[in-house]
Amino acid sequence: MNPDDPLLKILACPLDKGPLRLLLTEDASEALYNPRLHRRYPIVDGIPQLLPTSGEQVSEDEHERLLKRMAP
């Protein structure tokens, strides 16, 4: 998935229904991130995993690091 993908404009967090941001994780895999709730959702084989149980809560320190790595 790339930052210009039109799909990013319609994908929403399953918990707060707000927009998600694309980011790269340390292992070069992709994920979608909700900076409002500090939740990260993986993208597996190009498919966003947007079930509430698929999301992972991140710490405040990790949140700061993720904000720096997010695609514009």
Side-chain angles (χ1 to χ4, degrees), residues 2-72:
N2 66 54
D4 298 327
D5 194 325
L7 185 61
L8 284 175
K9 293 180 180 166
I10 61 172
L11 290 176
C13 175
L15 298 176
D16 75 355
K17 310 302 187 237
L20 296 167
R21 307 269 312 264
L22 181 65
L23 61 89
L24 289 175
T25 62
E26 289 88 20
D27 61 0
S29 63
E30 295 177 316
L32 294 172
Y33 186 62
N34 179 339
R36 299 167 307 285
L37 299 180
H38 297 203
R39 291 191 65 83
R40 175 176 46 215
Y41 297 92
I43 298 175
V44 179
D45 295 328
I47 301 169
Q49 307 297 305
L50 293 176
L51 294 173
T53 56
S54 298
E56 172 186 35
Q57 192 72 33
V58 301
S59 68
E60 187 64 34
D61 290 337
E62 187 174 2
H63 169 73
E64 293 300 322
R65 286 192 303 272
L66 290 175
L67 288 178
K68 293 175 185 172
R69 280 201 319 262
M70 273 194 261

